[in-house]
Amino acid sequence: MYEKNAKWSNGDDVTAQDFVKSWQRSVSDKSTSGYNYIFSGVKNADKISAGKADETALGVTAVDKHTLRVDLDHAMPYFNKMMILPAFFPQNTAAVKKYGSKYGTTSAKMVYNGPFKVTGWTGSNNSWKFLRNKHYYNQKAIHLKEIDMKVVQDPNTAHNMFTKGQLDDAQITGVTAQGLQTNKNLRHVTKAGTYYTRLNVAKNKTLSNKKLRRALNLVLDRKALTKKVLADGSEPAYTFVAKGLSTDPTTGKDFAEENQPAETHNVKKS
């Protein structure tokens, strides 16, 4: 599953056991990450997340130092594609044990196995650095000494910093994006993400009415929202699956378009 010579930034080898312990930790009913559900389909994952089985029952085994075996509850043709999700990445077993509940709270209380390691993050500050990981297996592929990272929450501030040369790139939206559509530096980057409104039907009796929720869905003008409000290149979403992400193998059609609901924006029907 990973480069056999991979090492952590503290010099430890990345092992199959690191994956085993990380997955067990993440799928546990005691996990607070909110990503337990991602492991659904891996043998016994649902039972463990529900507190009906011990985390050691998870269908993941270290066959040897560099071989990981995963057993599934059912066939999952897309399983290999899920492995790019950070929830499946390994954690250094020794570091997790060493730092306990403090693990991951600052950059100093983590170790890394990528080309860079994080330094200078205190857990609350909005700027830090990526420095080269001297233990990364492919040093020839690293062409940068360091990367300065900044969190800029306001798009106008980000744009101003970009124009002053204080940022190499900036994400913009709303009015700022509307005014920069012809700017030579503007780049539209397509991402497979979907944003949606989630209604609280448990605490709001009115919203528990199915017909009212249908009316709200029909009155929402997604085209106007994406074009005039966000104005950042977003496209209207009518399904959870983003356009261009998957194709129906039997028809060759885009999965999102093929499953688009018959009812979209229609104020009269609402």
Side-chain angles (χ1 to χ4, degrees):
M1 286 188 67
Y2 54 88
E3 183 70 29
K4 66 178 181 180
N5 295 319
K7 290 182 177 293
W8 294 100
S9 55
N10 63 355
D12 291 347
D13 289 333
V14 178
T15 68
Q17 191 62 25
D18 286 331
F19 282 87
V20 171
K21 290 296 184 181
S22 299
W23 287 25
Q24 291 177 344
R25 181 172 182 261
S26 297
V27 81
S28 169
D29 62 322
K30 299 179 180 63
S31 174
T32 57
S33 70
Y35 277 91
N36 310 60
Y37 71 93
I38 288 290
F39 292 84
S40 182
V42 177
K43 187 177 180 180
N44 295 323
D46 292 337
K47 291 181 180 179
I48 297 169
S49 294
K52 297 180 180 179
D54 188 78
E55 60 192 45
T56 56
L58 187 66
V60 57
T61 308
V63 178
D64 56 39
K65 188 175 182 179
H66 293 118
T67 305
L68 184 71
R69 170 175 171 166
V70 181
D71 292 306
L72 305 176
D73 280 327
H74 50 78
M76 296 174 65
Y78 51 87
F79 179 75
N80 62 330
K81 295 180 174 61
M82 292 178 63
M83 293 301 98
I84 65 171
L85 298 174
F88 293 103
F89 292 178
Q91 298 165 343
N92 182 285
T93 304
V96 173
K97 183 177 180 180
K98 176 182 178 180
Y99 297 119
S101 62
K102 297 294 184 180
Y103 175 79
T105 55
T106 69
S107 59
K109 290 182 172 59
M110 286 188 284
V111 291
Y112 314 85
N113 65 3
F116 296 92
K117 59 181 182 179
V118 181
T119 183
W121 180 62
T122 64
S124 59
N125 57 321
N126 290 329
S127 62
W128 57 87
K129 291 180 181 293
F130 284 151
L131 299 181
R132 290 180 63 146
N133 175 12
K134 66 179 182 180
H135 294 290
Y136 186 61
Y137 74 94
N138 190 4
Q139 289 292 319
K140 293 181 179 179
I142 309 176
H143 303 293
L144 300 174
K145 292 183 178 179
E146 65 179 57
I147 303 174
D148 293 322
M149 299 295 295
K150 296 181 183 294
V151 176
V152 184
Q153 298 179 359
D154 181 67
N156 291 320
T157 301
H159 173 242
N160 290 333
M161 292 177 69
F162 176 81
T163 57
K164 294 178 180 178
Q166 297 174 344
L167 294 177
D168 291 321
D169 64 55
Q171 293 187 14
I172 55 175
T173 186
V175 177
T176 303
Q178 291 178 19
L180 294 171
Q181 290 303 306
T182 59
N183 190 289
K184 65 178 183 178
N185 294 313
L186 182 67
R187 297 289 185 276
H188 289 287
V189 180
T190 302
K191 296 182 179 180
T194 304
Y195 294 88
Y196 59 91
T197 300
R198 185 175 182 180
L199 303 178
N200 190 336
V201 298
K203 295 184 179 180
N204 191 312
K205 293 183 178 180
T206 304
L207 291 176
S208 64
N209 186 303
K210 182 178 180 180
K211 292 183 178 180
L212 176 58
R213 296 200 305 275
R214 176 173 175 263
L216 291 173
N217 181 59
L218 290 171
V219 79
L220 181 62
D221 190 343
R222 294 168 174 79
K223 291 183 178 179
L225 177 62
T226 54
K227 186 175 182 180
K228 297 181 180 181
V229 180
L230 295 176
D232 59 358
S234 296
E235 296 184 8
Y238 301 100
T239 61
F240 280 108
V241 179
K243 289 183 179 180
L245 181 64
S246 180
T247 302
D248 187 330
T250 60
T251 64
K253 295 182 179 180
D254 184 278
F255 181 83
E257 294 181 350
E258 190 175 59
N259 290 277
Q260 182 170 310
E263 292 184 330
T264 54
H265 178 238
N266 192 321
V267 178
K268 291 183 179 181
K269 283 188 176 183
S270 67

